[in-house]
Amino acid sequence: LAVQRIAAVYGTSTSTVLLAASSVLVGAVTGHEVCAMLPIVGNRFRQDAAQAVTTLSQEGLFVLDVGGRSFAETLRAAKPAALRAYRSAYHDPGDRDRLTERVSRDRGTRVHPYCCFNDMRFIDRVDASHDERTVRLAMEETTLTWPLNQDQLNCRFCLHVTGEGGGLGVSLTADTRYLPREGMERYLRDLESLLVEAAFHETLEPVG
């Protein structure tokens, strides 16, 4: 409900709100003021792919400065950054790998975002009418479960967004060498708190 309210006020998507918020918390975990994430982008929007019978998705590159800003300011910056990430999701992965390898050699350390964001919903609902009392009551129904374990991951961190029955589900897979179990739980709780506080305790002004 808080995400729907923020998105409605800012004239953006709930996906962009969640992408911005997840980046803020990645910055809090890593200590980085500039965070890069890889949103999974559906690429079936060009005419030359309209008749393709296959899965069409690719990683975009979303980069956001999260240091020393309110969430309102961060969201303003996230809107054009998300659009750039979606537009640039058509690229040769080999070119990106070669660039990553070159920069890694230059810096003397492995450079890679290692963080994915995967919004798997088909419908985006926005609604500015949700009041704080309703949202606070809804928070009491929040549940957190641990449905599965994986032996290996392709990235260190991936946030998945699903929607069922008009609700919002957020799940997190992470390499516990970098984000342990208690850190994963804290991340999800902090994500909810950040969004609720931003919805009602910041001055939200529409973005043109």
Side-chain angles (χ1 to χ4, degrees):
L1 302 182
V3 172
Q4 290 179 4
R5 173 179 163 79
I6 296 170
V9 171
Y10 276 86
T12 190
S13 67
T14 58
S15 188
T16 297
V17 174
L18 288 163
L19 181 57
S22 62
S23 298
V24 168
L25 292 179
V26 166
V29 170
T30 62
H32 294 168
E33 291 192 350
V34 177
C35 291
M37 297 191 72
L38 302 173
I40 308 303
V41 182
N43 276 348
R44 198 181 291 273
F45 56 81
R46 286 200 340 195
Q47 188 173 0
D48 57 359
Q51 302 302 316
V53 182
T54 183
T55 301
L56 281 174
S57 64
Q58 190 170 346
E59 295 171 347
L61 178 60
F62 175 80
V63 180
L64 186 64
D65 186 342
V66 298
R69 290 177 167 179
S70 67
F71 184 69
E73 293 168 330
T74 300
L75 186 54
R76 289 190 183 92
K79 194 173 178 180
L83 185 58
R84 285 192 297 269
Y86 301 146
R87 284 178 171 172
S88 65
Y90 272 100
H91 64 269
D92 186 336
D95 288 342
R96 194 186 74 181
D97 291 342
R98 284 186 287 272
L99 178 61
T100 301
E101 291 297 330
R102 190 192 75 196
V103 174
S104 297
R105 287 195 302 270
D106 291 345
R107 297 188 181 183
T109 186
R110 178 66 177 162
V111 175
H112 192 284
Y114 292 116
C115 294
C116 292
F117 177 86
N118 188 14
D119 189 341
M120 297 176 281
R121 297 172 300 163
F122 294 105
I123 299 174
D124 187 37
R125 294 186 175 90
V126 300
D127 188 344
S129 68
H130 302 308
D131 60 77
E132 185 170 4
R133 181 178 180 276
T134 300
V135 174
R136 296 287 180 187
L137 288 173
M139 289 179 71
E140 297 177 6
E141 300 178 15
T142 296
T143 59
L144 191 149
T145 59
W146 295 88
L148 56 87
N149 292 317
Q150 294 174 254
D151 292 331
Q152 291 183 328
L153 293 174
N154 293 327
C155 58
R156 294 176 183 173
F157 171 100
C158 191
L159 195 74
H160 312 271
V161 183
T162 58
E164 298 177 2
L168 179 69
V170 179
S171 61
L172 175 61
T173 54
D175 187 330
T176 52
R177 292 174 297 178
Y178 301 97
L179 188 64
R181 183 184 177 99
E182 60 272 17
M184 296 169 67
E185 180 170 344
R186 185 169 60 251
Y187 182 97
L188 291 172
R189 300 287 188 189
D190 288 349
L191 181 65
E192 180 182 57
S193 297
L194 169 64
L195 291 164
V196 171
E197 293 304 312
F200 298 104
H201 294 159
E202 286 201 31
T203 302
L204 300 183
E205 298 177 355
V207 176

